[in-house]
Amino acid sequence: MVEKERLDMFCYQCSQTARGTGCTVRGVCGKKATVAHLQDNLVFATKGMSAYLYHARELGYTNTEIDAFLERVFYSTFTNVNFDAENFVQMAIEAGEMNVRTMKLLKRAHIETYGEPEPTEVQTGTFKGRGIIATGHGLKALGALLKQTEGTGINVYTHSELLPAHGYPGLKKYKHLVGNLGKAWFDQKKLFSKYPVAILGTSNCVLLPREEYRDRMFTTGPARLPGVQHIAGYDYTPVIEKAKSLPELDEKPGDVVLTTGFSKSVVLSLKDKIKQLVEAGKIRHFFLVGGCDSPLKKTEYYREFVKKLPQDTIILTLACGKFRINDLNLGDIEGVPRLIDVGQCNDAIVAIDIATALAEVFGIGVNELPLTMVLSWMEQKAVAILWSLLALGVKGIYLGPILPAWVNDDILKVLKERYDLRLIGNPEEDIKQILK
């Protein structure tokens, strides 16, 4: 007989004395223990934080207190020293707080190195000439590539999470950074096969390559792929030479022009206008719709959700989930864009800072703002960001299309009770419930 314990207890205790003091991973019922789920949660969160810290360290920015926290998490999760479920919940909140500091550190590194982003239109087609596609999250790698390709006649295109690079003055100054090809990370096999260009994978979200482009793909930094040449350091001569050996692309304009680069200061420069429009009833509600993306039928929810929103709403978006909606022409409300792309996943700190600043403008708490977060889900970085939001006291988040893998019934119950976490359903019904 197995009794399902409360979250603040030990785990699924096994009454069979032959199994000793209890199961910390799986009980005889075959269900994974709550403690093990919470350990998984912390591992995912710290993996996400580590990715942000890596890119900050590339630019010379570090934080010893965050490093010390990571050591403590790894010791607690990878060795048999901690079996206290409630303590793991507390550590998850601390991970959220540390990730806020991590995102601030990386944002400072990016701004102090490349300048503060500014709204920038980005072409989505190809230009006449040879090209290189850069994908991933590595702004330092992209910056080095742009410097080394200047004057070579090679055009550089971004893909997926490097789209926000176009908003940074220190990167957009390179005129041969000409546009963005493709959408979220999972289209790369089809995309890279389509264009005869050299490809540089700068970080995570690289997929095992198809044979038709393996010989013209390169990795750098932490990324590695079998049969793909890896470049240690930032000398991208092999990428450039490969690009020179390939045929030129034709001039083919894209169907849409994207806009990125809405930094904290840009959005807050509109705060008085926004307050006026809210008080006049011309802006009813703000939505943050973004997060991760995946090739699931269920993720079509987010595009349908945005398309059904009333015209008196503003949508902020970030991370690769923005590619579900950033081609939509939503217009503006008296000069305030209805669709505001604040960047990639680590730029969640920008959205947090904007929400905090708007709450101060209106003299209310963040949870009293007419603001709802509707987030698409995968693991690792998303775990870190979710706990950052919870650590800041944000409630009423809508999450989907699937639950985090580390959530069981007990954990979900606590997330709902403590943080009013909600699961997405039908777009029309969710909108009706939110705006009610």
Side-chain angles (χ1 to χ4, degrees):
M1 179 180 179
V2 176
E3 180 182 357
K4 192 175 184 182
E5 302 288 340
R6 290 168 50 86
L7 180 59
D8 58 356
M9 301 297 287
F10 176 68
C11 68
Y12 294 107
Q13 289 285 359
C14 179
S15 63
Q16 295 186 6
T17 56
R19 292 186 62 85
T21 59
C23 173
T24 61
V25 181
R26 290 186 183 275
V28 293
C29 61
K31 294 182 178 179
K32 198 169 185 182
T34 297
V35 166
H37 277 282
L38 292 170
Q39 288 176 332
D40 289 346
N41 164 51
L42 268 179
V43 170
F44 281 129
T46 50
K47 287 170 71 175
M49 290 172 59
S50 296
Y52 297 149
L53 286 171
Y54 177 92
H55 292 301
R57 190 180 296 274
E58 277 188 300
L59 296 171
Y61 293 74
T62 60
N63 184 297
T64 56
E65 292 183 10
I66 298 173
D67 293 342
F69 174 74
L70 293 177
E71 292 170 4
R72 182 154 54 89
V73 168
F74 294 149
Y75 193 14
S76 297
T77 55
F78 294 159
T79 59
N80 295 324
V81 297
N82 187 347
F83 302 99
D84 185 339
E86 185 60 36
N87 180 251
F88 276 117
V89 174
Q90 295 167 0
M91 288 182 71
I93 292 294
E94 189 176 356
E97 295 168 348
M98 286 294 175
N99 188 56
V100 169
R101 297 175 64 175
T102 301
M103 291 190 293
K104 286 181 179 292
L105 180 71
L106 181 55
K107 175 51 66 177
R108 182 161 66 90
H110 284 163
I111 289 177
E112 292 182 359
T113 305
Y114 304 112
E116 187 158 10
E118 53 196 27
T120 303
E121 291 188 344
V122 184
Q123 301 296 321
T124 57
T126 57
F127 292 79
K128 182 69 174 177
R130 295 177 172 84
I132 297 173
I133 296 176
T135 187
H137 294 250
L139 291 190
K140 181 170 182 177
L142 177 62
L145 177 66
L146 288 169
K147 184 175 181 179
Q148 293 166 35
T149 50
E150 191 172 23
T152 64
I154 296 172
N155 293 319
V156 175
Y157 302 84
T158 57
H159 169 251
S160 193
E161 286 297 293
L162 274 179
L163 168 64
H166 292 267
Y168 288 92
L171 298 174
K172 63 184 282 187
K173 70 179 182 180
Y174 294 100
K175 302 306 179 184
H176 61 297
L177 178 62
V178 294
N180 184 83
L181 298 177
K183 295 188 176 183
W185 59 274
F186 52 82
D187 73 1
Q188 60 189 261
K189 290 190 177 184
K190 181 178 179 181
L191 180 79
F192 296 166
S193 297
K194 178 180 179 180
Y195 296 107
V197 298
I199 306 147
L200 181 63
T202 68
S203 68
N204 54 301
C205 298
V206 288
L207 297 177
L208 294 175
R210 291 179 178 174
E211 288 301 319
E212 55 257 47
Y213 64 82
R214 186 189 300 270
D215 67 333
R216 52 186 173 85
M217 185 168 186
F218 302 80
T219 58
T220 190
R224 298 288 195 286
L225 290 170
V228 169
Q229 182 177 343
H230 181 77
I231 298 174
Y234 301 94
D235 181 357
Y236 298 125
T237 300
V239 186
I240 297 169
E241 293 304 312
K242 173 58 71 172
K244 290 179 178 178
S245 72
L246 296 168
E248 292 188 347
L249 295 175
D250 295 326
E251 184 94 14
K252 189 175 181 180
D255 295 330
V256 298
V257 175
L258 305 177
T259 301
T260 191
F262 288 92
S263 64
K264 171 186 173 182
S265 64
V266 169
V267 176
L268 292 185
S269 69
L270 300 170
K271 66 179 185 297
D272 292 335
K273 179 71 171 179
I274 290 172
K275 182 179 181 182
Q276 174 189 342
L277 292 172
V278 170
E279 291 176 343
K282 295 180 179 180
I283 295 179
R284 188 192 336 183
H285 206 84
F286 297 87
F287 291 88
L288 173 61
V289 183
C292 303
D293 197 10
S294 60
L296 299 176
K297 181 73 174 175
K298 293 179 180 179
T299 50
E300 294 177 2
Y301 167 96
Y302 298 91
R303 186 176 181 87
E304 291 305 308
F305 182 92
V306 171
K307 288 171 68 175
K308 293 179 184 299
L309 288 174
Q311 293 295 311
D312 56 358
T313 59
I314 300 287
I315 301 94
L316 290 88
T317 189
L318 50 72
C320 57
K322 66 175 164 280
F323 288 106
R324 290 281 170 180
I325 60 176
N326 67 347
D327 63 324
L328 295 173
N329 183 5
L330 300 181
D332 66 89
I333 301 175
E334 296 190 10
V336 178
R338 288 196 60 228
L339 182 61
I340 299 174
D341 173 16
V342 297
Q344 58 191 73
C345 56
N346 62 277
D347 291 316
I349 192 62
V350 177
I352 290 170
D353 287 344
I354 290 171
T356 302
L358 288 178
E360 292 176 358
V361 168
F362 288 101
I364 57 178
V366 170
N367 288 314
E368 297 172 273
L369 281 172
L371 168 68
T372 302
M373 299 186 182
V374 184
L375 307 178
S376 51
W377 182 263
M378 286 182 69
E379 302 295 351
Q380 298 178 26
K381 294 177 182 179
V383 181
I385 293 171
L386 175 63
W387 282 105
S388 291
L389 295 171
L390 300 182
L392 292 168
V394 177
K395 296 185 178 182
I397 297 171
Y398 281 72
L399 195 66
I402 55 176
L403 271 175
W406 45 269
V407 169
N408 63 9
D409 291 342
D410 286 338
I411 296 173
L412 180 60
K413 181 180 179 181
V414 170
L415 290 174
K416 287 182 174 180
E417 290 177 350
R418 294 187 185 180
Y419 304 106
D420 192 24
L421 187 73
R422 306 179 185 194
L423 305 182
I424 64 169
N426 174 275
E428 290 185 3
E429 292 301 318
D430 288 345
I431 292 170
K432 186 183 300 183
Q433 177 64 29
I434 292 167
L435 296 180
K436 181 178 67 174

PDB file of all heavy atoms in Angstrom, residues 124-157:
ATOM      1  N   THR A 124      12.900  39.962 -44.406  1.00  0.00           N
ATOM      2  CA  THR A 124      12.824  38.505 -44.271  1.00  0.00           C
ATOM      3  C   THR A 124      13.115  37.767 -45.580  1.00  0.00           C
ATOM      4  O   THR A 124      12.946  36.553 -45.650  1.00  0.00           O
ATOM      5  CB  THR A 124      11.433  38.084 -43.768  1.00  0.00           C
ATOM      6  OG1 THR A 124      10.432  38.583 -44.673  1.00  0.00           O
ATOM      7  CG2 THR A 124      11.173  38.624 -42.377  1.00  0.00           C
ATOM      8  N   GLY A 125      13.556  38.486 -46.600  1.00  0.00           N
ATOM      9  CA  GLY A 125      13.911  37.848 -47.861  1.00  0.00           C
ATOM     10  C   GLY A 125      15.416  37.797 -48.054  1.00  0.00           C
ATOM     11  O   GLY A 125      16.187  38.089 -47.136  1.00  0.00           O
ATOM     12  N   THR A 126      15.856  37.430 -49.251  1.00  0.00           N
ATOM     13  CA  THR A 126      17.280  37.333 -49.550  1.00  0.00           C
ATOM     14  C   THR A 126      17.724  38.482 -50.447  1.00  0.00           C
ATOM     15  O   THR A 126      16.923  39.072 -51.182  1.00  0.00           O
ATOM     16  CB  THR A 126      17.598  36.004 -50.245  1.00  0.00           C
ATOM     17  OG1 THR A 126      16.802  35.878 -51.441  1.00  0.00           O
ATOM     18  CG2 THR A 126      17.302  34.829 -49.330  1.00  0.00           C
ATOM     19  N   PHE A 127      19.012  38.790 -50.373  1.00  0.00           N
ATOM     20  CA  PHE A 127      19.628  39.825 -51.182  1.00  0.00           C
ATOM     21  C   PHE A 127      20.639  39.179 -52.128  1.00  0.00           C
ATOM     22  O   PHE A 127      21.192  38.116 -51.833  1.00  0.00           O
ATOM     23  CB  PHE A 127      20.316  40.864 -50.301  1.00  0.00           C
ATOM     24  CG  PHE A 127      19.359  41.698 -49.490  1.00  0.00           C
ATOM     25  CD1 PHE A 127      18.787  41.203 -48.318  1.00  0.00           C
ATOM     26  CD2 PHE A 127      19.005  42.973 -49.902  1.00  0.00           C
ATOM     27  CE1 PHE A 127      17.904  41.963 -47.567  1.00  0.00           C
ATOM     28  CE2 PHE A 127      18.119  43.750 -49.173  1.00  0.00           C
ATOM     29  CZ  PHE A 127      17.568  43.242 -48.006  1.00  0.00           C
ATOM     30  N   LYS A 128      20.877  39.830 -53.232  1.00  0.00           N
ATOM     31  CA  LYS A 128      21.829  39.321 -54.207  1.00  0.00           C
ATOM     32  C   LYS A 128      23.212  39.208 -53.573  1.00  0.00           C
ATOM     33  O   LYS A 128      23.713  40.167 -52.979  1.00  0.00           O
ATOM     34  CB  LYS A 128      21.882  40.255 -55.420  1.00  0.00           C
ATOM     35  CG  LYS A 128      22.815  39.803 -56.532  1.00  0.00           C
ATOM     36  CD  LYS A 128      22.296  38.561 -57.232  1.00  0.00           C
ATOM     37  CE  LYS A 128      23.163  38.193 -58.437  1.00  0.00           C
ATOM     38  NZ  LYS A 128      22.706  36.945 -59.099  1.00  0.00           N
ATOM     39  N   GLY A 129      23.827  38.041 -53.698  1.00  0.00           N
ATOM     40  CA  GLY A 129      25.171  37.852 -53.168  1.00  0.00           C
ATOM     41  C   GLY A 129      25.287  36.601 -52.317  1.00  0.00           C
ATOM     42  O   GLY A 129      24.293  35.920 -52.028  1.00  0.00           O
ATOM     43  N   ARG A 130      26.503  36.305 -51.929  1.00  0.00           N
ATOM     44  CA  ARG A 130      26.763  35.144 -51.071  1.00  0.00           C
ATOM     45  C   ARG A 130      26.356  35.462 -49.631  1.00  0.00           C
ATOM     46  O   ARG A 130      26.266  36.626 -49.246  1.00  0.00           O
ATOM     47  CB  ARG A 130      28.238  34.744 -51.165  1.00  0.00           C
ATOM     48  CG  ARG A 130      28.617  34.249 -52.559  1.00  0.00           C
ATOM     49  CD  ARG A 130      30.084  33.913 -52.675  1.00  0.00           C
ATOM     50  NE  ARG A 130      30.344  33.280 -53.966  1.00  0.00           N
ATOM     51  CZ  ARG A 130      30.558  33.943 -55.102  1.00  0.00           C
ATOM     52  NH1 ARG A 130      30.543  35.271 -55.096  1.00  0.00           N
ATOM     53  NH2 ARG A 130      30.782  33.290 -56.227  1.00  0.00           N
ATOM     54  N   GLY A 131      26.122  34.391 -48.867  1.00  0.00           N
ATOM     55  CA  GLY A 131      25.595  34.649 -47.536  1.00  0.00           C
ATOM     56  C   GLY A 131      26.031  33.680 -46.465  1.00  0.00           C
ATOM     57  O   GLY A 131      26.558  32.594 -46.741  1.00  0.00           O
ATOM     58  N   ILE A 132      25.810  34.105 -45.227  1.00  0.00           N
ATOM     59  CA  ILE A 132      26.009  33.282 -44.034  1.00  0.00           C
ATOM     60  C   ILE A 132      24.778  33.455 -43.153  1.00  0.00           C
ATOM     61  O   ILE A 132      24.304  34.578 -42.944  1.00  0.00           O
ATOM     62  CB  ILE A 132      27.260  33.708 -43.240  1.00  0.00           C
ATOM     63  CG1 ILE A 132      28.526  33.508 -44.072  1.00  0.00           C
ATOM     64  CG2 ILE A 132      27.362  32.928 -41.926  1.00  0.00           C
ATOM     65  CD1 ILE A 132      29.787  34.075 -43.416  1.00  0.00           C
ATOM     66  N   ILE A 133      24.246  32.341 -42.642  1.00  0.00           N
ATOM     67  CA  ILE A 133      23.167  32.386 -41.657  1.00  0.00           C
ATOM     68  C   ILE A 133      23.760  32.077 -40.292  1.00  0.00           C
ATOM     69  O   ILE A 133      24.458  31.077 -40.124  1.00  0.00           O
ATOM     70  CB  ILE A 133      22.056  31.366 -41.981  1.00  0.00           C
ATOM     71  CG1 ILE A 133      21.370  31.695 -43.298  1.00  0.00           C
ATOM     72  CG2 ILE A 133      21.029  31.331 -40.848  1.00  0.00           C
ATOM     73  CD1 ILE A 133      20.327  30.663 -43.712  1.00  0.00           C
ATOM     74  N   ALA A 134      23.485  32.941 -39.308  1.00  0.00           N
ATOM     75  CA  ALA A 134      23.911  32.705 -37.929  1.00  0.00           C
ATOM     76  C   ALA A 134      22.681  32.403 -37.092  1.00  0.00           C
ATOM     77  O   ALA A 134      21.680  33.117 -37.160  1.00  0.00           O
ATOM     78  CB  ALA A 134      24.649  33.925 -37.372  1.00  0.00           C
ATOM     79  N   THR A 135      22.748  31.339 -36.296  1.00  0.00           N
ATOM     80  CA  THR A 135      21.615  30.940 -35.477  1.00  0.00           C
ATOM     81  C   THR A 135      22.057  30.741 -34.034  1.00  0.00           C
ATOM     82  O   THR A 135      23.242  30.561 -33.754  1.00  0.00           O
ATOM     83  CB  THR A 135      20.970  29.650 -36.018  1.00  0.00           C
ATOM     84  OG1 THR A 135      19.771  29.373 -35.287  1.00  0.00           O
ATOM     85  CG2 THR A 135      21.907  28.460 -35.899  1.00  0.00           C
ATOM     86  N   GLY A 136      21.119  30.785 -33.107  1.00  0.00           N
ATOM     87  CA  GLY A 136      21.431  30.587 -31.696  1.00  0.00           C
ATOM     88  C   GLY A 136      21.221  31.834 -30.870  1.00  0.00           C
ATOM     89  O   GLY A 136      20.358  32.654 -31.167  1.00  0.00           O
ATOM     90  N   HIS A 137      22.041  32.002 -29.826  1.00  0.00           N
ATOM     91  CA  HIS A 137      21.893  33.123 -28.889  1.00  0.00           C
ATOM     92  C   HIS A 137      23.162  33.959 -28.760  1.00  0.00           C
ATOM     93  O   HIS A 137      23.173  34.922 -28.004  1.00  0.00           O
ATOM     94  CB  HIS A 137      21.532  32.601 -27.496  1.00  0.00           C
ATOM     95  CG  HIS A 137      20.197  31.954 -27.406  1.00  0.00           C
ATOM     96  ND1 HIS A 137      19.138  32.517 -26.728  1.00  0.00           N
ATOM     97  CD2 HIS A 137      19.731  30.784 -27.904  1.00  0.00           C
ATOM     98  CE1 HIS A 137      18.078  31.718 -26.813  1.00  0.00           C
ATOM     99  NE2 HIS A 137      18.406  30.667 -27.519  1.00  0.00           N
ATOM    100  N   GLY A 138      24.225  33.589 -29.456  1.00  0.00           N
ATOM    101  CA  GLY A 138      25.533  34.188 -29.206  1.00  0.00           C
ATOM    102  C   GLY A 138      25.759  35.518 -29.884  1.00  0.00           C
ATOM    103  O   GLY A 138      26.210  35.572 -31.035  1.00  0.00           O
ATOM    104  N   LEU A 139      25.501  36.617 -29.174  1.00  0.00           N
ATOM    105  CA  LEU A 139      25.732  37.939 -29.747  1.00  0.00           C
ATOM    106  C   LEU A 139      27.225  38.205 -29.948  1.00  0.00           C
ATOM    107  O   LEU A 139      27.616  38.872 -30.909  1.00  0.00           O
ATOM    108  CB  LEU A 139      25.125  39.022 -28.866  1.00  0.00           C
ATOM    109  CG  LEU A 139      23.598  39.098 -28.800  1.00  0.00           C
ATOM    110  CD1 LEU A 139      23.174  40.372 -28.083  1.00  0.00           C
ATOM    111  CD2 LEU A 139      22.963  39.035 -30.172  1.00  0.00           C
ATOM    112  N   LYS A 140      28.086  37.684 -29.060  1.00  0.00           N
ATOM    113  CA  LYS A 140      29.513  37.915 -29.242  1.00  0.00           C
ATOM    114  C   LYS A 140      29.994  37.220 -30.506  1.00  0.00           C
ATOM    115  O   LYS A 140      30.786  37.785 -31.274  1.00  0.00           O
ATOM    116  CB  LYS A 140      30.310  37.430 -28.042  1.00  0.00           C
ATOM    117  CG  LYS A 140      31.809  37.686 -28.210  1.00  0.00           C
ATOM    118  CD  LYS A 140      32.620  37.446 -26.970  1.00  0.00           C
ATOM    119  CE  LYS A 140      34.089  37.786 -27.217  1.00  0.00           C
ATOM    120  NZ  LYS A 140      34.931  37.634 -26.013  1.00  0.00           N
ATOM    121  N   ALA A 141      29.532  36.003 -30.739  1.00  0.00           N
ATOM    122  CA  ALA A 141      29.908  35.279 -31.952  1.00  0.00           C
ATOM    123  C   ALA A 141      29.428  36.027 -33.189  1.00  0.00           C
ATOM    124  O   ALA A 141      30.165  36.173 -34.171  1.00  0.00           O
ATOM    125  CB  ALA A 141      29.336  33.865 -31.923  1.00  0.00           C
ATOM    126  N   LEU A 142      28.188  36.519 -33.148  1.00  0.00           N
ATOM    127  CA  LEU A 142      27.654  37.264 -34.290  1.00  0.00           C
ATOM    128  C   LEU A 142      28.450  38.544 -34.510  1.00  0.00           C
ATOM    129  O   LEU A 142      28.770  38.899 -35.653  1.00  0.00           O
ATOM    130  CB  LEU A 142      26.182  37.603 -34.054  1.00  0.00           C
ATOM    131  CG  LEU A 142      25.513  38.448 -35.153  1.00  0.00           C
ATOM    132  CD1 LEU A 142      25.517  37.716 -36.481  1.00  0.00           C
ATOM    133  CD2 LEU A 142      24.095  38.833 -34.752  1.00  0.00           C
ATOM    134  N   GLY A 143      28.789  39.243 -33.426  1.00  0.00           N
ATOM    135  CA  GLY A 143      29.564  40.464 -33.558  1.00  0.00           C
ATOM    136  C   GLY A 143      30.916  40.216 -34.205  1.00  0.00           C
ATOM    137  O   GLY A 143      31.360  40.992 -35.073  1.00  0.00           O
ATOM    138  N   ALA A 144      31.579  39.133 -33.797  1.00  0.00           N
ATOM    139  CA  ALA A 144      32.873  38.794 -34.387  1.00  0.00           C
ATOM    140  C   ALA A 144      32.722  38.435 -35.862  1.00  0.00           C
ATOM    141  O   ALA A 144      33.550  38.827 -36.700  1.00  0.00           O
ATOM    142  CB  ALA A 144      33.502  37.635 -33.615  1.00  0.00           C
ATOM    143  N   LEU A 145      31.674  37.699 -36.184  1.00  0.00           N
ATOM    144  CA  LEU A 145      31.430  37.318 -37.573  1.00  0.00           C
ATOM    145  C   LEU A 145      31.180  38.546 -38.440  1.00  0.00           C
ATOM    146  O   LEU A 145      31.705  38.649 -39.562  1.00  0.00           O
ATOM    147  CB  LEU A 145      30.232  36.368 -37.642  1.00  0.00           C
ATOM    148  CG  LEU A 145      29.804  35.919 -39.045  1.00  0.00           C
ATOM    149  CD1 LEU A 145      30.888  35.050 -39.688  1.00  0.00           C
ATOM    150  CD2 LEU A 145      28.475  35.179 -38.991  1.00  0.00           C
ATOM    151  N   LEU A 146      30.395  39.488 -37.939  1.00  0.00           N
ATOM    152  CA  LEU A 146      30.100  40.699 -38.706  1.00  0.00           C
ATOM    153  C   LEU A 146      31.367  41.522 -38.952  1.00  0.00           C
ATOM    154  O   LEU A 146      31.583  42.041 -40.056  1.00  0.00           O
ATOM    155  CB  LEU A 146      29.063  41.541 -37.969  1.00  0.00           C
ATOM    156  CG  LEU A 146      27.638  40.987 -37.951  1.00  0.00           C
ATOM    157  CD1 LEU A 146      26.765  41.751 -36.970  1.00  0.00           C
ATOM    158  CD2 LEU A 146      27.030  41.014 -39.350  1.00  0.00           C
ATOM    159  N   LYS A 147      32.201  41.627 -37.938  1.00  0.00           N
ATOM    160  CA  LYS A 147      33.443  42.391 -38.091  1.00  0.00           C
ATOM    161  C   LYS A 147      34.349  41.738 -39.132  1.00  0.00           C
ATOM    162  O   LYS A 147      34.959  42.430 -39.965  1.00  0.00           O
ATOM    163  CB  LYS A 147      34.150  42.492 -36.744  1.00  0.00           C
ATOM    164  CG  LYS A 147      35.401  43.361 -36.778  1.00  0.00           C
ATOM    165  CD  LYS A 147      35.991  43.520 -35.382  1.00  0.00           C
ATOM    166  CE  LYS A 147      37.224  44.420 -35.421  1.00  0.00           C
ATOM    167  NZ  LYS A 147      37.797  44.614 -34.063  1.00  0.00           N
ATOM    168  N   GLN A 148      34.430  40.415 -39.113  1.00  0.00           N
ATOM    169  CA  GLN A 148      35.336  39.705 -40.014  1.00  0.00           C
ATOM    170  C   GLN A 148      34.812  39.629 -41.449  1.00  0.00           C
ATOM    171  O   GLN A 148      35.588  39.439 -42.387  1.00  0.00           O
ATOM    172  CB  GLN A 148      35.593  38.290 -39.474  1.00  0.00           C
ATOM    173  CG  GLN A 148      36.377  38.271 -38.172  1.00  0.00           C
ATOM    174  CD  GLN A 148      36.337  36.928 -37.468  1.00  0.00           C
ATOM    175  OE1 GLN A 148      36.323  35.880 -38.102  1.00  0.00           O
ATOM    176  NE2 GLN A 148      36.316  36.959 -36.136  1.00  0.00           N
ATOM    177  N   THR A 149      33.513  39.773 -41.635  1.00  0.00           N
ATOM    178  CA  THR A 149      32.941  39.723 -42.988  1.00  0.00           C
ATOM    179  C   THR A 149      32.747  41.100 -43.596  1.00  0.00           C
ATOM    180  O   THR A 149      32.342  41.215 -44.756  1.00  0.00           O
ATOM    181  CB  THR A 149      31.577  38.993 -42.971  1.00  0.00           C
ATOM    182  OG1 THR A 149      30.755  39.548 -41.934  1.00  0.00           O
ATOM    183  CG2 THR A 149      31.752  37.506 -42.731  1.00  0.00           C
ATOM    184  N   GLU A 150      33.035  42.146 -42.830  1.00  0.00           N
ATOM    185  CA  GLU A 150      32.863  43.498 -43.350  1.00  0.00           C
ATOM    186  C   GLU A 150      33.765  43.710 -44.569  1.00  0.00           C
ATOM    187  O   GLU A 150      34.960  43.409 -44.541  1.00  0.00           O
ATOM    188  CB  GLU A 150      33.189  44.524 -42.273  1.00  0.00           C
ATOM    189  CG  GLU A 150      32.784  45.944 -42.632  1.00  0.00           C
ATOM    190  CD  GLU A 150      32.929  46.906 -41.477  1.00  0.00           C
ATOM    191  OE1 GLU A 150      33.735  46.623 -40.552  1.00  0.00           O
ATOM    192  OE2 GLU A 150      32.233  47.940 -41.478  1.00  0.00           O
ATOM    193  N   GLY A 151      33.189  44.196 -45.655  1.00  0.00           N
ATOM    194  CA  GLY A 151      33.948  44.467 -46.863  1.00  0.00           C
ATOM    195  C   GLY A 151      34.209  43.266 -47.752  1.00  0.00           C
ATOM    196  O   GLY A 151      34.854  43.393 -48.801  1.00  0.00           O
ATOM    197  N   THR A 152      33.691  42.091 -47.377  1.00  0.00           N
ATOM    198  CA  THR A 152      33.920  40.884 -48.176  1.00  0.00           C
ATOM    199  C   THR A 152      32.851  40.680 -49.241  1.00  0.00           C
ATOM    200  O   THR A 152      32.994  39.809 -50.101  1.00  0.00           O
ATOM    201  CB  THR A 152      33.951  39.634 -47.280  1.00  0.00           C
ATOM    202  OG1 THR A 152      32.655  39.474 -46.665  1.00  0.00           O
ATOM    203  CG2 THR A 152      35.014  39.751 -46.199  1.00  0.00           C
ATOM    204  N   GLY A 153      31.751  41.424 -49.148  1.00  0.00           N
ATOM    205  CA  GLY A 153      30.643  41.223 -50.074  1.00  0.00           C
ATOM    206  C   GLY A 153      29.696  40.126 -49.638  1.00  0.00           C
ATOM    207  O   GLY A 153      28.734  39.805 -50.341  1.00  0.00           O
ATOM    208  N   ILE A 154      29.951  39.540 -48.468  1.00  0.00           N
ATOM    209  CA  ILE A 154      29.093  38.476 -47.940  1.00  0.00           C
ATOM    210  C   ILE A 154      28.004  39.097 -47.079  1.00  0.00           C
ATOM    211  O   ILE A 154      28.277  39.922 -46.199  1.00  0.00           O
ATOM    212  CB  ILE A 154      29.911  37.471 -47.105  1.00  0.00           C
ATOM    213  CG1 ILE A 154      30.937  36.756 -47.990  1.00  0.00           C
ATOM    214  CG2 ILE A 154      28.996  36.462 -46.418  1.00  0.00           C
ATOM    215  CD1 ILE A 154      31.902  35.885 -47.200  1.00  0.00           C
ATOM    216  N   ASN A 155      26.770  38.707 -47.322  1.00  0.00           N
ATOM    217  CA  ASN A 155      25.652  39.148 -46.495  1.00  0.00           C
ATOM    218  C   ASN A 155      25.449  38.195 -45.328  1.00  0.00           C
ATOM    219  O   ASN A 155      25.579  36.977 -45.486  1.00  0.00           O
ATOM    220  CB  ASN A 155      24.365  39.216 -47.324  1.00  0.00           C
ATOM    221  CG  ASN A 155      24.414  40.289 -48.383  1.00  0.00           C
ATOM    222  OD1 ASN A 155      24.910  41.384 -48.147  1.00  0.00           O
ATOM    223  ND2 ASN A 155      23.908  39.982 -49.570  1.00  0.00           N
ATOM    224  N   VAL A 156      25.128  38.738 -44.167  1.00  0.00           N
ATOM    225  CA  VAL A 156      24.877  37.924 -42.978  1.00  0.00           C
ATOM    226  C   VAL A 156      23.398  38.016 -42.625  1.00  0.00           C
ATOM    227  O   VAL A 156      22.832  39.112 -42.559  1.00  0.00           O
ATOM    228  CB  VAL A 156      25.750  38.379 -41.792  1.00  0.00           C
ATOM    229  CG1 VAL A 156      25.389  37.592 -40.532  1.00  0.00           C
ATOM    230  CG2 VAL A 156      27.229  38.210 -42.124  1.00  0.00           C
ATOM    231  N   TYR A 157      22.795  36.855 -42.397  1.00  0.00           N
ATOM    232  CA  TYR A 157      21.385  36.761 -42.010  1.00  0.00           C
ATOM    233  C   TYR A 157      21.304  36.122 -40.623  1.00  0.00           C
ATOM    234  O   TYR A 157      22.083  35.227 -40.290  1.00  0.00           O
ATOM    235  CB  TYR A 157      20.604  35.876 -42.987  1.00  0.00           C
ATOM    236  CG  TYR A 157      20.636  36.331 -44.419  1.00  0.00           C
ATOM    237  CD1 TYR A 157      21.700  35.984 -45.259  1.00  0.00           C
ATOM    238  CD2 TYR A 157      19.599  37.089 -44.963  1.00  0.00           C
ATOM    239  CE1 TYR A 157      21.736  36.394 -46.589  1.00  0.00           C
ATOM    240  CE2 TYR A 157      19.621  37.502 -46.297  1.00  0.00           C
ATOM    241  CZ  TYR A 157      20.691  37.147 -47.096  1.00  0.00           C
ATOM    242  OH  TYR A 157      20.726  37.555 -48.412  1.00  0.00           O
TER     243      TYR A 157
END
